[in-house]
Amino acid sequence: MAAALRRVDDRADRLHVRLDRPEVRNAIDRAMVDELHEVCAELEAWPRILVLSGTERVFAAGADIAELRERGRDDALAGINSRLFVRIAALPMPVIAAVDGWALGGGAELAYAADFRLAGENARFGQPEVGLGIMAAAGATWRLRELVGETLALEILLAGRVLDAAEALAAGLVSAVHASSDLLKAADALADRIAEQDPTAVRFTKRAFRAPRAAHPEVDDLAQSVLFESPAKHERMTAFLDRRKP
């Protein structure tokens, strides 16, 4: 069976993985889920920035409908896609989704699980599940509301509204829109900026940011107590002060 993912860039500070089932518009099937779990296991053991992208003109056009049609109650309760996307969102280092073309259904929900979403000019986001007799159950019912607000999220979830790149930018779903030819360069540039920071501080900040409101400020104080004792803090602050000396 052909691999569902392709490693585009594999470096010490980042891993760029491309969804690579163009013959079915990168539909997310069980094989792709399993391969993404393998990526997660690797990045949990060796934390790096993850960049996710699709192929030309499509990020991921949802779950594999032929496979989805045969799933039953036990498959739903197993949370095949939802638990993967929770795992991706919880990766130690930031996740960047470079989305161009269609991101529908589970493909859109995969993008929502990223920390950053960059859009190509042809990006389209939508949740067609209710038209297929199911619901968006892999994160859209709660992540989308957090990202774009309740009113717009309900229109996307219940009325089939599809956001183009400009609308996604205006709604705050993506942080920037780029020409399709420049999208991956923009994702790399963002990864470069993150990689310039102290990786331990990045990891602690991401964890604190994702913590529930009730956990603050204790989670921030605990994280800072560890960072205050790190060699990187002393080295980076010393370098900063040395640059300021006349």
Side-chain angles (χ1 to χ4, degrees), residues 32-90:
M32 184 181 288
V33 168
D34 290 344
E35 289 183 36
L36 283 169
H37 273 298
E38 292 174 6
V39 168
C40 287
E42 177 180 337
L43 295 178
E44 288 160 355
W46 178 17
R48 292 181 285 165
I49 300 161
L50 174 62
V51 178
L52 290 169
S53 68
T55 49
E56 187 176 358
R57 292 188 295 277
V58 62
F59 179 71
D64 190 306
I65 300 300
E67 188 177 277
L68 195 62
R69 184 182 59 182
E70 305 307 315
R71 290 182 183 172
R73 176 186 59 194
D74 291 344
D75 297 306
L77 292 174
I80 294 169
N81 286 1
S82 63
R83 294 183 186 184
L84 168 65
F85 298 165
V86 166
R87 190 177 186 183
I88 288 172

Side-chain angles (χ1 to χ4, degrees), residues 81-178:
N81 286 1
S82 63
R83 294 183 186 184
L84 168 65
F85 298 165
V86 166
R87 190 177 186 183
I88 288 172
L91 285 172
M93 291 292 282
V95 179
I96 302 168
V99 180
D100 201 21
W102 294 100
L104 298 175
E109 290 174 302
L110 173 57
Y112 305 155
D115 300 292
F116 300 93
R117 282 160 299 283
L118 303 180
E121 57 196 347
N122 299 311
R124 300 289 186 273
F125 297 87
Q127 302 296 154
E129 285 88 348
V130 294
L132 296 170
I134 58 172
M135 61 177 279
T141 56
W142 50 283
R143 283 199 181 99
L144 192 55
R145 177 171 54 190
E146 295 172 355
L147 291 168
V148 304
E150 182 173 310
T151 301
L152 182 55
L154 283 172
E155 191 173 356
I156 295 167
L157 289 165
L158 302 182
R161 179 170 175 180
V162 174
L163 300 185
D164 64 21
E167 291 169 325
L169 180 63
L173 182 58
V174 303
S175 57
V177 176
H178 301 273

Side-chain angles (χ1 to χ4, degrees), residues 189-241:
L190 176 56
D192 287 342
R193 296 199 300 274
I194 296 168
E196 290 173 357
Q197 317 308 316
D198 173 53
T200 305
V202 170
R203 291 175 60 181
F204 273 70
T205 301
K206 175 176 174 175
R207 181 172 294 184
F209 186 86
R210 298 301 181 195
R213 176 65 181 84
H216 299 280
E218 287 80 6
V219 68
D220 306 85
D221 295 339
L222 287 170
Q224 194 76 302
S225 72
V226 175
L227 293 171
F228 270 13
E229 299 295 326
S230 71
K233 172 239 184 182
H234 186 271
E235 294 168 3
R236 284 173 173 261
M237 289 190 176
T238 299
F240 175 83
L241 293 171

